[in-house]
Every structure is written in C-alpha cells, then in structure tokens.
Amino acid sequence: VLGAVNLLATVVKLRAPGMTWTRVPMFTWSMFVSSAVLLLAVPSLVAGLILLFVEHHLGGRIFDAGADGDPLVWRTLFWFFAYPALWATVIPALGVVSEIVPVFARTRLFQRRMAAFAIAGAGALSFAGWGSELAGESGVPKVLFSVTSILLLGAVAQLLLLWLATLALPRRLPRLKPPLLQALGLVSVFGLGLVGMAVMEGAATGKLGHDSYFWVGAWHLILVGGATFGIVAALFYWAPKLWGRHLSAGLGGLQLLLLVVGVDLTFVPMLVLGGQGLHRRVTSFSASSLEPANLISTIGAYVLSLAVLLVLVNLLVSVKARRGRIAPDDPWEGHTLEWATSSPPPPHNFDFLPDVRSDRPLADLREAGPPAEPQPEAEAPEPTPAGVTA
Amino acid sequence: MAVTEAPSPTPALPPAAGPITLPEARGLSPFGMAMFVAADAAVLGGLLAALFALRAQAFVWPPREGARLGAYLPTMITLTVLLSAVSVQWAIWSIRRNDQRNCLFALGLTAFLGMAVLNGEWYQLAHLNFAIGHHPFDTFVYVLTGFHMAHALAGVVLLVAMLARTTTGEFSADDHDSLTATAIFWQFANLAWAAAYAVIWVKP
C-alpha cells in the first residue's frame, strides 16, 4: 500500500514541467492505474486478515457459522482483493507493450488516448468483477458480474487491437527487434487467454467455469502470458538503458520460442481438463481419461521453467558477465525521455530539464532537428474499421 | 525482415538556460496522506462490509441479554472526538494566518482530547461485561473500537511531533504541508470512531 502511495504521489505531484496528463508515457500510466487498483484492493485483504487474526488469536467470533457468523465473509473479502490484484499484476505489462509497439513500428500509438482509457477502464472494472469468482451465485448478481467481467476483457481486447493497428497501419514492416518479438509473444498467449476468459465468464459460469481447471487454465494464460512476457519484453527493451548492454538476441529467440510453447503447452490442456470436469485445486484424480492432458501440462511446465531459466541466464551472461553488446544511449530510436540521457543514466537522470511538448518528446526532437537524412513523416492513420471493431 | 535504415542520430536535449530549478512540490505530503487514508478507509469499509453482511443474516443482532452496552461513555467519547475535529481545524486555520500561538494551543488541545478519548475507550473496553467471542456483534465492538484506538494512538504521536515542530516555528502560512497531512489523518481517525458509534450504539 505504501509503495502504491509513493508511486501515485510521484506521478501526480512530481511530473516534469510540460509533462501534462495526456503526455505521460503509457508505462507510467499503466503503473499509475495498477497502483491505484492495489491501493484500494489490498485493504480488503487487510480487513479480512484483521478479522482472521482477531478470531484465531484473540478469541473473536466472525467466521463461525454456528454462532451467527459466516465463513463466506472471508471468501468475499478475499476475492474483492484478489480479483483486482490479479489484473493489477497484468496492467503494467499492457503499459510495457504499449511503449514498445509504437517505437518499433516507427509511428504513434494508434488512438493513444483510447488506449490510455482502455488501461484505466480495465483497472476500474477490475473492482466490478470480483463476484464472478464466487461460483454458485444466482440470478441478477451472476449475470451482472458476468457482464462486468466481459466488459473488462473487452477493454483489454481493445488494447490488443490498437497495438495490432499500430503495427499494421504504417504499411511498412516494423523493426522486428527482440523487444517487439517478446511483446508479440505476449499478444499471442494473451489473446488465447482472453478467449478462454470470455468463454468462462460468458457461457460457463458456475460449476463448469469457475470451479474447474478451465478457470486455472484461462487465468494463467492471462497471468503468466501477461506478467511473464511483460517482464521479459521490458527487460529486453530497457536493459540497454538500465545497464548499458543489450541482452543476447539469440538466447532471447530460443527463450521466446520455449516460453510461447511452454505457456500454451501448460495451460491449454487445463482448459481441456476443465471441460472434462476436473475440479480446481484437486491434487489427485483416478480417472485415466484425465491423464494425457495432465501429462502434457506437466511437460509444458518444464518447458516454461526452462524458458524462465534462460531469461536469468541471459541476464547473468549479458549484464553480469558483461558479454552483451554495448548499447548506445538510444538504441531503439525511442520516443520517450529516458532515451535522451546516457546508458546507464546518471543518478540525477538529466543535467538539463527536458522540454516536454508532446507525448513523444524525443521523436519530436528527432523530426525537428537538422535531418541527417529526410525522415518520412509519420503517416496520420486513416480512420479504419479497426477503431469501430475496437 | 526489417527495412534497413541508417539510424538517425539521437537528438540532444536543448540546453536549458542556467541550472535546473525544479518547482517545489507543494502539497506532496497531504496528497500522500490522502492516498494512505483512502486505503485506510477501504480497510474500514471491508470491516463494515463484513459487519453488514453478518447483520443481514443473523438471527439475533445485537445479542441482548440484560443491559449490555451503556450509551453514556461512548456518547461522551463521541462529543470529545467532535471537539478534537474542530480543534485540529482550528490549528490549520491559525497557521494559514501565520498565527503561531493559536496553532500551538489548538494542536496541544487536540492531542489532549485525543489522549482523553484513548483513556475513555480503554476504560470502556476494560469494563465491558461480555467476552470478545460471545457473538460476532461483540467481536465487532472490540474490533471497531480497537481500530479507532490504533488510529487515535498514531494520531496523538503525529500531533505531538507536529507540536514540537510548531514550537520551533518551522511552519508558516505558506509552508505547513506536514500539519495538513496530520490533520487529514486525524479527521480520518475521527471518521472511524463515527462509523463505530453509528453501527454499535446508534443503529446496531
């Protein structure tokens, strides 16, 4: 909570002159939204823990169904925390990809403001979806929570479409550098997870959805696909800035392949297991029909672990052992201010106060400066059906 | 594959005229405190939500065997809390006019009222004629009172610290962020008591 307070206060009160709200980088914005979500979600867990402590250690009585208490109070308080918190772990990854995609597409983020609203909307709606986890609800609440959960998925799906539009609209190939490739890995796994979640929230609520392995599979496609790929993409993008050295692209390619295969292999079979009726949080089962999918899932988990191990190896080799290519100050022709300082930056970041006049101050300077070669203007995106679809 | 293009040179930031002078961040600590209080209020909200959920489905709420909860002491505590809510604002209004003496007196008065409230609540908890685990309602009497006591204690510590800083003349009409932050926290503590009073004594 205090970390969230720190970040919120910094973003609100300590922005550079000219850094208006519409010019805040997407990653900063996503961290802002994520912190706001955690600020208001974690207290629900705290309240539950206070009551649990009072009951277990001070002799209180809250969760005892025999004496006007109710054990379900814990479950409700917990999910009011956990559902937003799960999304809060994914939202920063959305910000990372929203930074990477336009840089490597050499254009603006398509409908930047709409993307910012999508991230904020996902954060706000995460508070309206907690009830969908309390399986067995009936009538109006069940429908209501299904609708809010699907609206949230819609906001995230819209963001995915905006990224794809950003990549497709310039009508030239994006620069397929490691950060963008890792970001595309996120898109592939995340897209699958979104479909799984939509099926779960829309059609398969209750027993088949939330009480089964389908839930585990769909959620983890989102969580592992989102958070892990987000971290990896961010490492590839910002390692040159943080440590002055690139991560190895070769190792990165192998790891990307293993990570995509590992995530899909681990969690897609879980969707099948859920369809076969395997309950959530079951460690042993007797039906032999459940074995193949479980086996594939286990193999996938090893592949997935190997991929994560490769990320660590890459960090150790490229950064710690200093084997990585030395990075210039601005290896990606970035749009945001961090690329204007040295790599790695000095403790105070800038000797001069940067002049911020748009959401891509560095791209502005590059286009305005004495051109070493004629820079093609970033084409203004035509209104396309993509926006309508979104 | 990617279209090959000669990398355009990284633009240098235009040098600013003179050294960096960052504008002073006014209102940083009140804002931080407001955010913390928002989270704290959500904790209180969680506790109250649990109370309302249990109250809605309970067979008996509150358990009434004999005269269990006197209203006199909690009402006195409520009045004291109200007084301290005014006196802490008095301190803020004074420092806005740069009136150090009034500010000092009002802070001292608030800290004193806070200690009186703590004393009253301690006495009350020590003399309740039912155990914490008899019924969920009883648990909430202890939990909500304790929640306010923890905040009142932290608030009194903050107030005393502010008192010490005011005696050195540290605050002025346009520089009293810490004082404002303390007042925000104190008013939230008062709100926590108001909530406890409402759900335990006014409309159990």
Side-chain angles (χ1 to χ4, degrees):
Chain A
V1 167
L2 290 181
V5 170
N6 188 344
L7 198 138
L8 290 170
T10 307
V11 174
V12 171
K13 288 288 183 184
L14 298 176
R15 293 197 308 280
M19 183 63 82
T20 57
W21 277 109
T22 49
R23 295 173 188 169
V24 168
M26 292 300 282
F27 178 57
T28 311
W29 175 243
S30 69
M31 284 301 289
F32 179 79
V33 171
S34 172
S35 296
V37 169
L38 285 178
L39 183 81
L40 296 175
V42 173
S44 183
L45 177 68
V46 173
L49 289 176
I50 289 177
L51 294 177
L52 206 59
F53 181 86
V54 167
E55 169 142 332
H56 281 212
H57 295 285
L58 304 178
R61 178 166 290 193
I62 299 289
F63 305 114
D64 182 355
D68 273 346
D70 188 353
L72 296 186
V73 165
W74 166 260
R75 206 178 62 155
T76 310
L77 283 174
F78 176 80
W79 275 110
F80 191 84
F81 148 74
Y83 188 88
L86 289 175
W87 281 108
T89 60
V90 173
I91 285 173
L94 304 180
V96 168
V97 179
S98 303
E99 290 280 320
I100 291 176
V101 162
V103 167
F104 291 91
R106 281 167 298 183
T107 180
R108 295 168 184 283
L109 181 59
F110 179 59
Q111 294 282 1
R112 188 174 191 277
R113 190 166 292 201
M114 196 191 269
F117 274 117
I119 289 179
L125 282 168
S126 72
F127 282 102
W130 55 276
S132 68
E133 296 303 329
L134 307 177
E137 301 284 353
S138 57
V140 176
K142 178 174 167 178
V143 174
L144 193 70
F145 283 123
S146 274
V147 169
T148 51
S149 306
I150 290 171
L151 279 178
L152 198 170
L153 297 175
V156 180
Q158 174 192 19
L159 199 57
L160 249 68
L161 290 177
L162 293 180
W163 296 337
L164 295 180
T166 308
L167 288 171
L169 283 175
R171 292 197 197 90
R172 57 178 168 176
L173 271 176
R175 292 177 299 176
L176 294 170
K177 296 279 175 63
L180 181 65
L181 293 175
Q182 304 283 353
L184 290 177
L186 180 142
V187 172
S188 81
V189 180
F190 214 78
L192 209 56
L194 282 180
V195 174
M197 292 281 280
V199 169
M200 180 173 78
E201 304 291 9
T205 44
K207 279 273 173 276
L208 180 60
H210 291 85
D211 250 2
S212 76
Y213 251 71
F214 200 94
W215 184 94
V216 184
W219 255 118
H220 285 81
L221 279 170
I222 293 277
L223 284 177
V224 180
T228 311
F229 266 116
I231 292 168
V232 174
L235 280 176
F236 273 89
Y237 184 55
W238 278 300
K241 180 52 63 185
L242 284 171
W243 301 297
R245 281 177 193 274
H246 284 284
L247 296 185
S248 157
L251 266 180
L254 182 62
Q255 161 258 311
L256 171 65
L257 197 68
L258 288 178
L259 195 53
V260 171
V261 171
V263 169
D264 285 344
L265 217 54
T266 311
F267 301 117
V268 172
M270 290 188 183
L271 303 180
V272 178
L273 283 171
Q276 288 178 320
L278 182 59
H279 276 272
R280 190 173 146 188
R281 296 180 183 132
V282 169
T283 51
S284 57
F285 51 88
S286 52
S288 62
S289 63
L290 296 174
E291 270 167 15
N294 265 304
L295 181 68
I296 295 173
S297 187
T298 308
I299 295 171
Y302 281 113
V303 177
L304 174 57
S305 313
L306 193 63
V308 174
L309 204 64
L310 277 182
V311 177
L312 298 179
V313 169
N314 204 340
L315 275 176
L316 283 176
V317 171
S318 303
V319 178
K320 193 74 182 164
R322 296 162 185 274
R323 293 287 185 80
R325 263 189 316 125
I326 292 182
D329 291 347
D330 182 18
W332 314 124
E333 296 182 33
H335 296 168
T336 41
L337 282 174
E338 71 267 31
W339 304 108
T341 184
S342 61
S343 292
H348 54 278
N349 289 344
F350 294 106
D351 290 333
F352 299 108
L353 209 53
D355 184 23
V356 184
R357 295 202 178 148
S358 82
D359 54 77
R360 334 183 289 158
L362 218 56
D364 289 350
L365 281 176
R366 192 177 291 119
E367 281 158 19
E373 57 178 87
Q375 276 279 313
E377 278 289 310
E379 293 158 43
E382 299 280 316
T384 63
V388 182
T389 321
Chain B
M1 278 311 292
V3 184
T4 45
E5 260 179 35
S8 55
T10 304
L13 286 176
I20 287 188
T21 46
L22 286 171
E24 271 192 73
R26 282 266 175 261
L28 190 59
S29 43
F31 180 82
M33 183 57 86
M35 291 295 103
F36 177 78
V37 160
D40 217 346
V43 175
L44 180 64
L47 294 176
L48 291 176
L51 181 143
F52 292 140
L54 291 178
R55 184 168 83 180
Q57 63 192 38
F59 291 110
V60 277
W61 191 281
R64 297 180 195 283
E65 294 115 36
R68 290 155 41 91
L69 273 173
Y72 173 72
L73 188 52
T75 309
M76 280 299 127
I77 292 174
T78 308
L79 289 177
T80 318
V81 162
L82 275 174
L83 281 178
S84 83
V86 175
S87 68
V88 78
Q89 286 311 116
W90 176 10
I92 298 294
W93 292 325
S94 309
I95 201 65
R96 277 188 197 150
R97 286 180 286 107
N98 223 349
D99 184 345
Q100 304 280 342
R101 283 186 56 189
N102 260 305
C103 177
L104 204 60
F105 179 75
L107 275 178
L109 180 63
T110 311
F112 174 76
L113 291 172
M115 286 187 259
V117 164
L118 275 170
N119 182 43
E121 284 174 307
W122 187 259
Y123 181 87
Q124 176 182 267
L125 281 191
H127 287 78
L128 285 181
N129 59 358
F130 51 84
I132 185 170
H134 178 256
H135 186 270
F137 176 81
D138 304 343
T139 308
F140 276 114
V141 173
Y142 283 89
V143 167
L144 290 176
T145 312
F147 186 81
H148 175 249
M149 284 179 77
H151 284 80
L153 189 63
V156 167
V157 170
L158 280 177
L159 283 167
V160 170
M162 291 307 120
L163 200 64
R165 288 174 69 177
T166 311
T167 51
T168 64
E170 194 180 309
F171 300 121
S172 64
D174 44 43
D175 184 9
H176 54 272
D177 274 358
S178 315
L179 216 55
T180 313
T182 305
I184 291 172
F185 183 79
W186 188 253
Q187 297 296 26
F188 169 70
N190 294 338
L191 189 75
W193 174 259
Y197 186 67
V199 296
I200 296 174
W201 284 280
V202 177
K203 196 176 182 309

